[in-house]
Amino acid sequence: MSNYLVVSAVLFSIGIFTVISRRNAIGILLGIELLLNAVNINFMAFGFLHGSPVGSIFVLFTIAVTVAEVALGLAIVILIFRLKKTVQADEVNLLRG
Amino acid sequence: MSGGTQIIFWIASALLVISALGVAFLKNLFHSVLALALVLILTAVLFLTLQAEFVAAVQILLYTGGVVTLIVFAIMLTEKLVGESLTQTNRKIATGGVISLALLFFLIYAIRQNQFLNFSKGFSFDLTKEIASGFLIEFVVPFEALSLLLLASLIGALVLAKEDENE
C-alpha cells in the first residue's frame, strides 16, 4: 500500500519542480495537473486502505474542480497572450507598480 | 494484492514517473502535453489496480479527453498568433530541484514511519453503486455546488477569452 504513496510523492515532487522551473504559463498549468493527479492517487489509495467509497467520491470532485481550473487558467493565458504577446510567466508584470 | 496486479502496478508506476519527467523536461510544449496525457492514462491504470473501474473511466474521459484537448487548443491558438512553434526553457533548475528533492525525501520519510499502512482492506462492495448513492445522498450539497462552479467557470472562461468588440 505504501508503494502507492511513494509513487504519488514522486509525482508530486516532479510537479513542484515543473511549477517552479517552467517559464511558460501553459507549462506551469501542466505542473499543476501533475500535482492534482498525485493527490488523486493518494485519495484512491487511502479509500482502498479503509475500504471506503469516500476517497473515490473525492477524486471525482477533484477532477471536476480541475476541469474548471484548467478552463479558467487557459482563458487567462490566452487573454494575457492577447494583451502582452507572450506566455512567459516572468514577462507578465501588469501589476508591477 | 495478487501477483499480476503487483506487476502491473510496478510497470505502470515506472512509466508514470518517466512520463512525468517528460512533462517537466521536454523542450517542445506539445510533447509535454502528450507526456501529460500518458501520465493521466497511466494513473487510470493505477486506479484499475485499486479496483476502481468507474473512476478510471472518468479519469480517461474527463482528463485525457477533456483537459488535454483544452490545453492542445490553447497551444494551437497561441502558436498561430505567434507564427512559430512554442519552445520552452527551464529556469531556476537548482532551486526547483532542491525544493522538490527535499519535499520528496520528507514525504518518503513520513510514509516509512507508518507501518500500519502495510495492510489493505479493499472494497467489499460495488464501488460504482456506492459512489452513486454517496453523490446523491450524503454529498448532494457539494455535488450541486460543483455544478454551479462548473457553470460559473464556463461563463468566466467565455467572458475572459472573448474578443473585445470595442477595440
Side-chain angles (χ1 to χ4, degrees):
Chain A
M1 177 48 62
S2 55
N3 296 336
Y4 284 95
L5 302 185
V6 171
V7 170
S8 156
V10 172
L11 263 190
F12 197 84
S13 310
I14 296 174
I16 289 277
F17 177 78
T18 312
V19 171
I20 292 175
S21 69
R22 280 295 196 209
R23 295 183 67 234
N24 193 313
I26 298 177
I28 293 174
L29 276 177
L30 296 186
I32 295 174
E33 291 296 305
L34 279 184
L35 295 179
L36 288 161
N37 215 39
V39 173
N40 282 350
I41 294 176
N42 258 4
F43 268 130
M44 290 303 296
F46 276 108
F48 189 79
L49 176 75
H50 291 287
S52 149
V54 181
S56 313
I57 292 173
F58 248 94
V59 168
L60 294 178
F61 275 123
T62 324
I63 288 175
V65 171
T66 310
V67 172
E69 173 251 321
V70 168
L72 274 183
L74 289 177
I76 291 173
V77 167
I78 289 176
L79 186 70
I80 284 176
F81 183 81
R82 204 175 285 146
L83 288 175
K84 302 275 292 182
K85 299 290 170 224
T86 178
V87 287
Q88 307 296 329
D90 45 4
E91 289 172 21
V92 178
N93 48 12
L94 291 172
L95 288 182
R96 183 169 293 168
Chain B
M1 246 196 297
S2 64
T5 318
Q6 199 78 276
I7 293 170
I8 291 174
F9 168 77
W10 284 117
I11 295 174
S13 38
L15 290 174
L16 194 61
V17 172
I18 292 171
S19 39
L21 287 175
V23 175
F25 287 109
L26 282 177
K27 282 273 173 276
N28 190 328
L29 187 58
F30 191 70
H31 293 168
S32 256
V33 176
L34 292 184
L36 181 77
L38 202 58
V39 167
L40 298 173
I41 291 172
L42 288 165
T43 311
V45 173
L46 282 195
F47 289 172
L48 281 179
T49 65
L50 287 171
Q51 304 171 7
E53 303 86 6
F54 178 70
V55 186
V58 169
Q59 169 96 6
I60 289 182
L61 278 177
L62 264 186
Y63 251 130
T64 322
V67 171
V68 172
T69 317
L70 261 180
I71 297 176
V72 168
F73 262 112
I75 291 173
M76 284 179 170
L77 278 177
T78 45
E79 235 174 27
K80 194 184 167 193
L81 293 175
V82 177
E84 61 193 32
S85 75
L86 290 173
T87 54
Q88 51 180 359
T89 48
N90 294 14
R91 44 115 213 217
K92 290 183 189 161
I93 290 181
T95 321
V98 167
I99 290 177
S100 57
L101 278 179
L103 183 73
L104 179 64
F105 284 127
F106 171 71
L107 283 175
I108 288 179
Y109 174 75
I111 290 167
R112 287 294 171 213
Q113 292 291 305
N114 286 316
Q115 293 304 319
F116 63 88
L117 290 174
N118 284 324
F119 77 95
S120 55
K121 273 187 187 167
F123 300 118
S124 53
F125 45 79
D126 186 359
L127 183 62
T128 311
K129 205 171 153 185
E130 287 298 316
I131 288 174
S133 51
F135 264 135
L136 291 179
I137 296 168
E138 197 181 348
F139 295 98
V140 64
V141 176
F143 187 56
E144 296 298 328
L146 191 66
S147 58
L148 204 64
L149 171 76
L150 281 177
L151 180 67
S153 69
L154 186 70
I155 295 174
L158 263 178
V159 169
L160 282 178
K162 192 167 64 96
E163 296 274 355
D164 207 346
E165 289 151 13
N166 298 331
E167 286 178 23

